[in-house]
């Protein structure tokens, strides 16, 4: 593995970084102001569409698609530094149409969708005209084991009848969310990993009920949000199946590899922004006769933070490189390793920055508290730490 990127990728890095500096950071406060001024926090701040149009005009759009984007053809490795830059802002990924869960859903539709499904759902998603959600996790079972899923997909003639209680469906409350990728069991008697299927469910289907939004450490994440959704005898055409019946687990596994790398690079971006804010604060703040930056204890935490960030980045780039060169299955251990190491590093760095900021660090005046909440949640997303630690241990023992 090398850590030198092509001229094309370096140019894209410069373009994304310039766009972040010129448009994204200055408009974070505008976004929050518009969000709070509207009739509802679940309405879309106009600034986000303005920024999306600017990014699209500059060709900084859908950069996440590995080896499929006609203009960039970026691999996971090449996209990683761009993803990191976007992750420095909570609104950054959406500005470039590289935001989860839409990015993962677009990858699914690109790889497994048929022509009709791509025309109806993938095209408007790629254009940033609509949003989507991924509906898998259930409150009554340990959803870290996807074979536990109990949501029902039963065929009735030329329709599927869907019944389930789902939650942590990110983006479902967003008024632009038009379709859900639903994972449930279509055959309880099949082999363990062939019982599940994925079906496209329009959000306006009769029987789809958003019961409540789920805050994260008090953050509602409006206007996107995380929802508990009940599906009560929801009927969709059989043609809405993704790929074929019994392939839901396979599709889910294919979705997770790039998704975990994206999550980790965004978390590294948040940590980078945190250490920058920490250093700036330490240089400006005076306590006990000198700036905080002059105190050895602050120099130590800055050093620890730099070490952890660079370790996390290199480990993630290694995982991305291996997945590109040998496939997601071969990179299983490396992907599990970054899923453990990166959130831990990000949490540590952001927490140190909060400590230096004092009371200001836990307010909404700075992005630190919100980034910390995201990083802590990342230790649960796409499988908790314990699942990945188990897998890493098994693979080491097998060696």
């Amino acid at each position: 593995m090398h850590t030198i990127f092509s001229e094309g990728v370096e140019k894209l890095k410069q373009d994304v970084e310039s766009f972040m500096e010129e448009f994204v950071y200055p408009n974070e406060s505008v976004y929050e102001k518009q969000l709070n001024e509207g009739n509802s926090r679940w309405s879309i701040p106009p600034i986000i569409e303005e920024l999306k149009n600017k990014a699209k005009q500059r060709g900084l759009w859908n950069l996440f698609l590995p080896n499929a984007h006609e203009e960039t053809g970026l691999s996971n490795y090449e996209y990683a530094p761009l993803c990191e830059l976007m992750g420095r802002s909570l609104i950054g990924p959406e500005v470039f149409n590289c935001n989860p869960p839409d990015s993962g859903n677009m990858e699914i539709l690109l790889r497994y969708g048929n022509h009709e499904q791509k025309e109806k759902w993938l095209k408007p998603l790629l254009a940033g005209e609509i949003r989507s959600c991924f509906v898998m996790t259930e409150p009554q079972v340990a959803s870290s084991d996807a074979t536990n899923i109990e949501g029902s997909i039963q065929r009735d003639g030329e329709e599927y009848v869907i019944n389930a209680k789902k939650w942590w469906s990110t983006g479902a409350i967003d008024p632009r969310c038009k379709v859900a990728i639903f994972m449930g069991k279509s055959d309880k008697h099949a082999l363990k990993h062939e019982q599940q299927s994925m079906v496209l469910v329009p959000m306006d289907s009769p029987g789809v009920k958003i019961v409540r939004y789920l805050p994260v450490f008090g953050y509602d994440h409006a206007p996107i949000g995380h929802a508990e959704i009940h599906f009560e005898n929801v009927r969709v055409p059989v043609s809405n199946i993704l790929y074929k019946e019994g392939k839901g687990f396979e599709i889910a596994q294919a979705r997770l590899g790039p998704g975990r790398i994206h999550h980790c690079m965004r978390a590294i971006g948040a940590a980078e922004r945190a250490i920058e804010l920490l250093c700036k604060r330490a240089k400006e703040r005076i306590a006990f006769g000198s700036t905080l930056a002059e105190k050895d204890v602050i120099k130590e935490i800055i050093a620890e933070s730099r070490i952890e960030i660079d370790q996390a980045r290199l480990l993630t780039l290694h995982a991305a490189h291996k997945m590109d060169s040998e496939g997601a299955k071969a990179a299983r251990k490396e992907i599990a390793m970054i899923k453990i190491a990166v959130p831990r590093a990000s949490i540590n760095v952001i927490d140190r920055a909060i400590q230096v900021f004092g009371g200001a660090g836990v307010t909404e005046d700075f992005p630190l508290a919100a980034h910390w909440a995201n990083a802590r949640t990342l230790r649960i997303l796409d499988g908790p730490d314990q699942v990945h630690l188990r897998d890493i241990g098994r693979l080491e023992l097998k060696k």
Side-chain angles (χ1 to χ4, degrees), residues 256-265 267-268 311-320 323 331-345 378 385 388 392:
L256 287 175
R260 285 170 178 154
I261 288 174
H262 299 174
H263 274 314
C264 288
M265 291 308 296
I268 292 167
Q311 286 175 332
R313 179 184 293 109
L314 288 169
L315 193 61
T316 305
L317 289 174
H318 175 58
M323 186 164 69
R332 179 181 173 185
K333 184 177 72 173
E334 287 73 16
I335 293 170
M337 288 166 66
I338 64 172
K339 187 59 176 58
I340 297 292
V342 175
R344 287 180 178 178
L378 190 54
D385 285 5
H388 297 289
I392 295 166

Side-chain angles (χ1 to χ4, degrees), residues 275-286:
I275 194 174
E276 288 180 14
L277 289 169
L278 188 165
C279 290
K280 184 178 180 181
R281 183 78 164 190
K283 287 182 176 182
E284 296 173 348
R285 212 69 169 171
I286 296 174

Side-chain angles (χ1 to χ4, degrees), residues 30-300:
V30 176
Y31 180 90
E32 287 298 326
K33 182 180 180 182
Q34 291 180 350
L35 188 61
N36 291 317
E37 283 179 345
N39 295 327
S40 166
R41 282 182 59 80
W42 305 105
S43 59
I44 309 304
I47 188 63
I48 199 70
E49 294 301 327
E50 293 177 26
L51 295 176
K52 284 167 62 178
N53 288 332
K54 288 182 186 294
K56 189 183 294 187
Q57 290 167 7
R58 297 195 179 193
L60 303 175
W61 194 253
N62 292 334
L63 299 173
F64 68 93
L65 289 174
N67 299 320
H69 194 269
E70 293 179 1
E71 298 170 1
T72 60
L74 298 178
S75 65
N76 289 294
Y77 179 82
E78 292 170 322
Y79 172 64
L82 311 179
C83 188
E84 176 183 332
L85 288 169
M86 297 173 196
R88 291 168 60 92
S89 171
L90 295 171
I91 66 172
E94 184 178 359
V95 168
F96 302 97
N97 210 42
C98 294
N99 47 289
D102 293 321
S103 55
N105 290 345
M106 284 187 267
E107 287 177 342
I108 284 178
L109 285 164
L110 186 69
R111 183 170 177 178
Y112 297 101
N114 59 35
H115 177 74
E116 180 185 348
Q117 292 165 351
K118 289 177 181 178
E119 287 292 315
K120 188 172 184 178
W121 303 117
L122 180 59
K123 276 192 173 181
L125 281 168
L126 287 170
E129 297 169 354
I130 66 171
R131 293 204 59 173
S132 61
C133 62
F134 186 74
V135 182
M136 186 186 93
T137 309
E138 298 175 0
Q140 68 269 29
V141 299
S143 302
S144 56
D145 179 357
T147 62
N148 282 340
I149 298 302
E150 294 179 348
S152 172
I153 303 171
Q154 294 298 314
R155 184 160 182 169
D156 182 18
E158 292 305 306
E159 293 182 318
Y160 287 117
V161 181
I162 296 171
N163 284 279
K165 290 183 179 180
K166 299 283 190 175
W167 69 345
W168 293 113
S169 300
T170 299
I173 307 175
D174 191 314
R176 299 165 296 179
C177 183
K178 302 302 180 184
V179 65
I181 295 181
F182 178 97
M183 182 171 176
K185 281 189 176 177
S186 53
D187 185 357
K188 295 183 178 180
H189 303 291
L191 295 174
K192 186 177 181 180
H193 294 93
E194 296 179 0
Q195 298 178 5
Q196 306 80 18
S197 297
M198 287 193 186
V199 179
L200 293 166
V201 181
M203 290 299 287
D204 60 0
S205 301
V208 177
K209 299 179 180 179
I210 295 178
V211 177
R212 58 172 174 152
Y213 82 86
L214 302 164
V216 178
F217 292 111
Y219 290 95
D220 60 10
H221 288 170
I224 300 161
H226 316 277
E228 178 175 340
I229 312 176
H230 292 182
F231 296 80
E232 299 175 359
N233 295 317
V234 177
R235 288 181 173 268
V236 297
V238 169
S239 59
N240 280 25
I241 193 78
L242 274 169
Y243 188 21
K244 60 178 73 172
E245 288 186 16
K247 298 299 183 180
F249 191 89
E250 177 184 328
I251 297 171
Q253 292 302 110
R255 184 184 193 272
L256 287 175
R260 285 170 178 154
I261 288 174
H262 299 174
H263 274 314
C264 288
M265 291 308 296
R266 283 190 292 266
I268 292 167
E272 276 289 359
R273 193 168 183 194
I275 194 174
E276 288 180 14
L277 289 169
L278 188 165
C279 290
K280 184 178 180 181
R281 183 78 164 190
K283 287 182 176 182
E284 296 173 348
R285 212 69 169 171
I286 296 174
F288 305 104
S290 65
T291 63
L292 296 180
E294 293 178 83
K295 303 184 188 303
D296 287 344
V297 66
I298 300 299
K299 292 174 183 174
E300 181 179 331

